Amino acid sequence: MMSDIFDVYKATAPLLFEEPTRITWVRGLPLPECVRRFGGDPLRTREADFEDIYEEGYDLDPDDPRDGAILLDQQGDWVVVVEPTSHRGITSALLRWLSSDGAALSVYWTVNGDAYVKWAEHGHVLYSFDPMVLDTVNPDEAEVGWVVEHGVGLDAWAQDWFAATLTLAEKITLVRFDSAWPERIHLGVTVGPMPLA
């Protein structure tokens, strides 16, 4: 049986991000420390919306993976980090560091149809999977049990992996992404080389 949350995301997810984007939810770190760990200076954050950060990211040197721009939003115990033009949050090394005092969930998708979801707690990546094929993997796999335990059944993943991923994220974090989120003002910052953990 589908959840109401999944139905909402199935209807609104296509409106959220027109371009491939990376989203990371972090619990256990204050927002300024998240900025630092992504390679930014907390004193240089400013008000911005998704389009501002998207354009800024593409104005940076496309051949230099050390540069990027991120958008951050504090929601209760969680900091949401959105990367329109980079993919730092999905790296296992950064996820381990971000989750060292708590937890972190990250989703990544590309224009080529690649996608990945990772979950880390207390410095360890515990689950890592391709959400597009989750419905076809062995039902005994740990990832399948984990997502089903959080109330997102395999039928949801088979119907719409992105809506299922956002449903999983909301069930874990209680953070809702609505269709107006990209247009709201959050905090943006340019990031450079990532610091060593």
Side-chain angles (χ1 to χ4, degrees), residues 19-70:
E19 299 291 337
T21 303
R22 296 81 183 153
I23 309 170
T24 304
W25 296 257
V26 181
R27 185 187 69 216
L29 289 178
L31 189 146
E33 185 58 23
C34 284
V35 170
R36 281 189 202 91
R37 294 190 188 192
F38 270 85
D41 180 349
L43 297 178
R44 294 185 178 271
T45 59
R46 67 200 179 288
E47 291 187 341
D49 64 13
F50 180 82
E51 188 65 27
D52 296 331
I53 294 303
Y54 178 82
E55 291 177 0
E56 182 176 330
Y58 274 102
D59 285 343
L60 298 170
D61 183 353
D63 297 321
D64 190 346
R66 298 173 301 168
D67 291 333
I70 62 174

Side-chain angles (χ1 to χ4, degrees), residues 131-155:
M132 293 185 181
V133 297
L134 189 65
D135 60 311
T136 64
V137 300
N138 185 331
D140 294 330
E141 291 288 330
E143 290 81 4
V144 173
W146 180 69
V147 300
V148 170
E149 179 184 303
H150 281 90
V152 188
L154 292 183
D155 51 346

Side-chain angles (χ1 to χ4, degrees), residues 6 12 17 38-39 41 49 53 57 72 79 87 96 100 118 127 141 145 154 159-161 185 191 194 196:
F6 175 79
T12 60
F17 302 105
F38 270 85
D41 180 349
D49 64 13
I53 294 303
L72 302 102
V79 176
H87 53 271
R96 286 191 293 267
S100 59
K118 291 184 180 179
Y127 301 105
E141 291 288 330
L154 292 183
Q159 282 191 43
D160 187 326
W161 73 267
I185 297 300
V191 293
M194 289 172 51
L196 296 176

